[in-house]
Amino acid sequence: MRLSPMFVIGVALVLIWGLIAAAAPLLATHDPYAIDFAAILKAPGAEHWFGTDNVGRDTYSRVVYGARLALYIGLLGVVAPLVIGMTIGLVAGYFGGWVDTVAMRLVDITVPFPFFVLVLSIVAVLGPGIENYFIALALVGWVGYARLARAEALVLRQSEFVLAARTMGFSHGYILLRHVLPNSLSPIVVYLMTDVTLVILFGAALGFLGMGVSPPAAEWGVMIAEGQTYISTAWWISFFPGLAMVLIGVGFALIGDGLARMLRIER
């Protein structure tokens, strides 16, 4: 299988951000939380590469440390929806009948509402914080995975190797884990890459709204919110974390797009 150029570029971008996050203490030129009233709103220069914010903190160092939170939110935030959605979707598609009917009714309840509105509402009820954001994602984000897994299971349960496994007396659990699950992963992995991007963006949006990570955390959404007041005089406060968010989002999106092309999956 020939690697797609988009896939290679996406992997390179994500790896670069992964290395930045891992080596943040080495790459940062200043303490990202150190307040310096003598350096308030300094423009980008030799001493502060990305300038400073309204209390003199180094924007470059905060962007570098923000990569850790972005990847933490993006990668950990998709775990629960992935596990819940795949489990429900595979079981519903494989067994069919009333199991499938119940699962699809749960999906129908969730689908009509905009994803971010539901997440925002749940976080508003539970309170601000990353943990509550993860809970909201687990309650809402599983639907996309469930629909994909169900569609794959509906096809695979009639395949020859699954029918042969049933004839040989293998248990349903064994067939699901050994035959149905591995053969249904391709579209789910592609969707996962896109979902990581959305989870990062929505996490930053919550931080911007004051419902995610709380200040003074070096989180890109928080940084953009802190810089909006000074956007006409100190554009760098919001620009650089915004650019970082775009680049990491493009990286995951290109991986998903590249995988879809290589696996010939319709998106």
Side-chain angles (χ1 to χ4, degrees), residues 67-186:
R68 288 185 161 187
L69 266 175
L71 289 173
Y72 171 76
I73 292 172
L75 297 177
L76 195 60
V78 298
V79 172
L82 172 65
V83 174
I84 295 171
M86 283 190 63
T87 302
I88 292 176
L90 290 177
V91 170
Y94 178 77
F95 289 104
W98 67 267
V99 176
D100 185 37
T101 301
V102 171
M104 289 305 99
R105 293 299 78 76
L106 290 174
V107 169
D108 291 341
I109 292 172
T110 308
V111 167
F113 300 95
F115 176 80
F116 185 62
V117 173
L118 277 178
V119 171
L120 189 63
S121 302
I122 294 171
V123 173
V125 172
L126 297 177
I130 295 179
E131 294 80 7
N132 290 336
Y133 177 47
F134 289 161
I135 293 173
L137 289 174
L139 293 175
V140 178
W142 62 271
V143 172
Y145 296 100
R147 296 175 73 180
L148 279 174
R150 173 183 177 267
E152 292 297 309
L154 283 171
V155 175
L156 290 170
R157 72 177 183 178
Q158 301 298 330
S159 60
E160 292 183 0
F161 57 87
V162 169
L163 295 175
R166 287 177 181 169
T167 303
M168 295 172 66
F170 290 115
S171 66
H172 293 305
Y174 177 86
I175 296 172
L176 277 169
L177 292 176
R178 182 66 180 83
H179 297 293
V180 179
L181 176 59
N183 287 285
S184 62
L185 285 178
S186 295

Side-chain angles (χ1 to χ4, degrees), residues 234-261:
W235 53 269
W236 54 86
I237 304 176
S238 296
F239 173 78
F240 288 111
L243 178 62
M245 199 184 311
V246 169
L247 290 175
I248 199 170
V250 167
F252 281 108
L254 287 177
I255 291 175
D257 223 24
L259 284 173
R261 288 175 181 270

